[in-house]
Amino acid sequence: VFGAPPAQKEAVKRDYGAVRKAIADLLEADEYDDGSFGPILVRLAWHSSGSYDKATNSGGSNGATMRFSPESDYEANAGLKVARDLLEPVKAKFPWLTYADLYTLGGVVAVEEMGGPTIPWKEGRSDMDSGNACGPDGRLPDASLDQKHLRDIFYRMGFNDQEIVALSGAHALGRCHADRSGYVNPWTFAPTTFSNQYFTLLRDEKWSKKKWKGPLQYEDSSKQLMMLPTDMALIWDKKFKPYVMEYASDEEKFFKDFAAAFSKLLENGVPRTQGEAPAAASPAPAA
Ligand code: HEM
């Protein structure tokens, strides 16, 4: 029996719908955190991309450099090995898929599966094969700092005040882990549902300093929820606050602005041929 002609053998169908489904199938996990790996996949997509520096066009999701030391060991990336390991079987099942595309698509699928907006995403990132291209440490935000720091970090990536607030709304999802960041607790009562609850809580709750030996964080009246100093900065800063109020009262607007800003984050630094529309065509969502 003869095999298929070589040309046909090599023609791999790049089925991103199947990749999306494989990622979606990994999310639910009763034994992990609040029952989903979704939040940590969103954090992985963000930290892979948030190393971008617009001035030098360095860092960003292209390259998937976070697989390598020193980037994998940066304090800001503590805990993300859980997310990278989770995605390994998807990489094994679809060997043609790059890690850089996988880590960004993981965040996109997670947001969508947790009830968030459709995020425009496009394949085409390539992988570096060593840590030589890792950006320097310190490009991700430090939660203990203030609005000036937030602007320094996010303006460097090419974001404006409105986009900073929209992106921060991802903290509707997930929680802090004492052994990763030193902080504890989730931001919202529904940490596996993408919503504007982060903003309604920032607006409506009375936040006070948590009395404990850990780093400064804020707690609500139930003492079950938290805000980081950088989260509080969004309601204290007079330019950020109007966006918090807007997203608290208009979830649709938040979803629309988040989708645009998150898509831009994942696209930052990705080389596209001239005239190619970035992140224009989003493959059909997994069935
Ligand atoms: C978790 C800081 C922006 C998505 C965390 C944690 C910290 C943090 C300290 C806890 C990590 C842990 O202990 O496991 C910050 C700071 C930001 C920021 C200072 C500056 C504005 C963002 C953005 C996104 C995001 C832009 C996505 C668009 C998440 C998610 C989690 C998280 C989903 C939960 C992860 C989990 O449950 O394991 N962030 N973050 N964050 N962050 Fe942020």
Side-chain angles (χ1 to χ4, degrees):
V1 180
F2 296 101
Q8 232 169 303
K9 244 188 199 169
E10 282 159 26
V12 181
K13 185 173 170 271
R14 303 196 164 196
D15 184 350
Y16 285 92
V19 175
R20 283 171 177 260
K21 180 153 190 333
I23 297 169
D25 286 345
L26 291 172
L27 298 183
E28 251 181 75
D30 291 343
E31 71 289 356
Y32 180 75
D33 269 10
D34 303 287
S36 172
F37 285 107
I40 200 166
L41 286 189
V42 175
R43 183 169 167 243
L44 176 67
W46 139 237
H47 280 214
S48 324
S49 311
S51 55
Y52 182 63
D53 175 51
K54 194 174 179 184
T56 57
N57 193 35
S58 65
S61 64
N62 196 52
T65 52
M66 204 213 282
R67 288 169 300 145
F68 303 109
S69 177
E71 193 174 339
S72 52
D73 306 321
Y74 293 162
E75 213 178 295
N77 291 330
L80 287 175
K81 187 172 186 301
V82 170
R84 294 193 300 272
D85 288 352
L86 180 75
L87 292 176
E88 275 304 321
V90 181
K91 170 70 179 162
K93 190 169 175 194
F94 306 99
W96 47 265
L97 181 69
T98 64
Y99 281 103
D101 277 340
L102 177 57
Y103 291 176
T104 50
L105 186 56
V108 165
V109 171
V111 166
E112 294 175 1
E113 290 290 316
M114 290 187 286
T118 301
I119 312 289
W121 177 90
K122 192 174 181 185
E123 71 275 14
R125 291 164 195 77
S126 51
D127 290 338
M128 303 287 181
D129 52 14
S130 83
N132 295 338
C134 290
D137 198 1
R139 284 190 173 180
L140 288 162
D142 176 340
S144 72
L145 298 178
D146 60 1
Q147 49 266 54
K148 180 184 179 301
H149 172 71
L150 282 183
R151 290 196 170 94
D152 287 346
I153 293 284
F154 283 92
Y155 287 3
R156 187 207 69 225
M157 295 179 224
F159 290 109
N160 62 29
D161 286 358
Q162 172 260 314
E163 291 167 315
I164 294 172
V165 178
L167 285 171
S168 299
H171 283 170
L173 302 170
R175 57 169 56 244
C176 295
H177 303 77
D179 59 333
R180 296 179 188 170
S181 60
Y183 298 100
V184 291
N185 293 339
W187 288 264
T188 68
F189 287 114
T192 63
T193 302
F194 194 90
S195 74
N196 69 339
Q197 213 186 92
Y198 169 82
F199 298 112
T200 55
L201 286 161
L202 265 178
R203 180 192 63 189
D204 300 338
E205 264 299 326
K206 189 178 175 307
W207 296 96
S208 43
K209 288 183 180 174
K210 180 177 171 66
K211 293 189 185 69
W212 73 322
K213 291 208 174 96
L216 173 63
Q217 67 175 67
Y218 294 80
E219 63 186 8
D220 70 327
S221 46
S222 78
K223 300 188 188 300
Q224 291 172 47
L225 304 181
M226 70 95 59
M227 289 288 165
L228 300 162
T230 42
D231 296 313
M232 296 305 296
L234 302 184
I235 198 112
W236 290 336
D237 182 90
K238 67 177 197 308
K239 287 188 183 149
F240 285 144
K241 188 177 174 182
Y243 299 113
V244 173
M245 302 306 269
E246 183 182 19
Y247 296 146
S249 62
D250 189 346
E251 188 172 67
E252 211 177 303
K253 180 75 163 71
F254 165 55
F255 273 33
K256 187 172 160 277
D257 287 357
F258 180 83
F262 194 54
S263 184
K264 174 174 162 180
L265 173 71
L266 308 185
E267 190 69 25
N268 272 343
V270 178
R272 301 292 186 189
T273 48
Q274 225 182 353
E276 185 186 11
S282 197

